[in-house]
Amino acid sequence: MAGADASGTAGGAVGRSGKSGHPAYKSGPPRKGPARVKPATASDWVSGARLRTLPLAIAPVLLGTGAAIVASGPGVYHPVRASLALAVALFLQIGVNYANDYSDGIRGTDAFRVGPARLTGGGVANPRTVLRVALTFFSLAAVAGITLVILTQHWWLMIVGVVALAAAWFYTGGKKPYGYLGLGEVFVFVFFGLVATAGTTYVQVGDFTTESVLGGIAMGLIACAVLMVNNLRDIVPDKAAGKRTLAVRVGSTASRVVFCIFLLLPFVIAGLFSLVYPLGIFTFFVLLLALPACLITITATSAKELILALKLTSLAALAYGLLLGLAFAF
């Protein structure tokens, strides 16, 4: 199925035209490993952090905090613990982004990309420097997490933190990265959905609640949608690089359908919550972002359109977490 769909993907269209500006589609197979290093600017490092993915870190913390307020009672807040949970999520997300940049770059995967050059693969920064930056953000996430453990005295959370860091690294790192086996959606669903949302609630009130678990499922599905549309854009180059993402495995047509399922199922959960929390109905305003993202993804013929869908989906994640979290809190 993937092979039959390849010519219809945005990545395939760009690759055939040779207009991407990437040598992988102009003069035969690209060489492996990072390109010659050039001086990196501040904007290069900001770009490498992939800011459009950060709403995926913020949204579950907002939703989990709203669930914590429900469990604590009106007017009871835990701002320090909520802030530390946000720090863990943000630092982990940025660390993952730089780690992926490093691992894909030294493996040669980014030599097949049709999008903007990465820090490592594009020769914008020294690979070791990118690795050090990734490890720095992982360390900051660990420090925030350990602080949370000390405050809450829930020492078993140390195990969760170690597993999260390992999962972040081995997504594209190591000899057999699971992101290359089509398991990336599992990672984002568990850690940027369930763990981030329910974990935020747990560190504030010491319990897992229906709101935090179902909310975590919803956030995990939206995170999967973001990853799916990103990988849909890269089907052809990923296939050429031997990166068997879920999008590569199921093909372009099925990936578009799965994306819409991932993105729209959370509104079923929002509808159920609206029966108990009247303000939850406002969460359906997020469909003003989600439905256009689905339409664009279904009909897209260029990478630029899929990038727009990705941005809309990331914003939808943030809006969903904020609005449903406020519905819980008030």
Side-chain angles (χ1 to χ4, degrees):
M1 184 175 182
D5 288 335
S7 64
T9 66
V14 175
R16 289 193 309 274
S17 68
K19 294 179 181 179
S20 67
H22 203 292
Y25 298 98
K26 292 181 179 179
S27 57
R31 60 184 176 79
K32 298 291 183 179
R36 182 174 59 85
V37 176
K38 304 172 184 177
T41 65
S43 62
D44 290 329
W45 287 105
V46 171
S47 177
R50 306 183 199 180
L51 300 185
R52 67 169 67 104
T53 66
L54 297 191
L56 299 180
I58 300 170
V61 175
L62 295 176
L63 185 51
T65 298
I69 292 173
V70 171
S72 299
V76 181
Y77 305 102
H78 304 277
V80 173
R81 297 183 184 187
S83 297
L84 286 169
L86 179 61
V88 171
L90 284 172
F91 289 144
L92 187 61
Q93 177 69 72
I94 296 173
V96 167
N97 291 340
Y98 282 124
N100 291 347
D101 187 301
Y102 168 78
S103 296
D104 283 341
I106 62 170
R107 185 173 277 109
T109 304
D110 281 342
F112 296 86
R113 294 187 75 254
V114 297
R118 296 300 185 200
L119 290 167
T120 305
V124 179
N126 188 294
R128 290 187 179 181
T129 302
V130 178
L131 176 59
R132 283 195 291 267
V133 171
L135 294 178
T136 297
F137 278 101
F138 284 151
S139 298
L140 290 172
V143 169
I146 291 171
T147 304
L148 261 177
V149 170
I150 294 172
L151 287 176
T152 63
Q153 297 292 294
H154 296 305
W155 299 101
W156 66 272
L157 290 176
M158 294 284 287
I159 299 174
V160 177
V162 171
V163 173
L165 288 171
W169 172 254
F170 289 108
Y171 174 57
T172 57
K175 293 183 179 180
K176 294 184 178 179
Y178 65 88
Y180 281 56
L181 303 175
L183 299 175
E185 282 76 9
V186 175
F187 166 72
V188 299
F189 179 81
V190 172
F191 290 100
F192 287 94
L194 286 171
V195 172
T197 309
T200 295
T201 302
Y202 187 84
V203 297
Q204 295 183 58
V205 301
D207 196 11
F208 297 109
T209 66
T210 300
E211 290 83 359
S212 67
V213 173
L214 288 181
I217 291 173
M219 294 312 310
L221 288 169
I222 299 177
C224 286
V226 170
L227 183 59
M228 177 59 79
V229 74
N230 181 75
N231 290 340
L232 173 61
R233 179 196 64 192
D234 294 333
I235 281 182
V236 169
D238 282 347
K239 186 184 296 184
K243 189 174 183 179
R244 302 283 293 173
T245 63
L246 181 60
V248 169
R249 288 179 176 275
V250 304
S252 175
T253 300
S255 295
R256 295 167 197 257
V257 173
V258 171
F259 166 81
C260 294
I261 293 173
F262 281 155
L263 187 53
L264 297 180
L265 271 181
F267 293 95
V268 176
I269 295 175
L272 294 175
F273 278 132
S274 297
L275 299 176
V276 181
Y277 300 97
L279 293 180
I281 196 70
F282 289 104
T283 308
F284 284 92
F285 279 110
V286 183
L287 285 170
L288 295 174
L289 295 169
L291 290 177
C294 287
L295 180 61
I296 292 170
T297 300
I298 290 293
T299 61
T301 58
S302 70
K304 184 176 181 180
E305 291 172 287
L306 292 174
I307 291 173
L308 175 59
L310 188 153
K311 291 178 180 179
L312 290 174
T313 307
S314 293
L315 291 174
L318 182 60
Y320 186 100
L322 175 61
L323 292 176
L324 190 54
L326 288 174
F328 290 159
F330 297 102

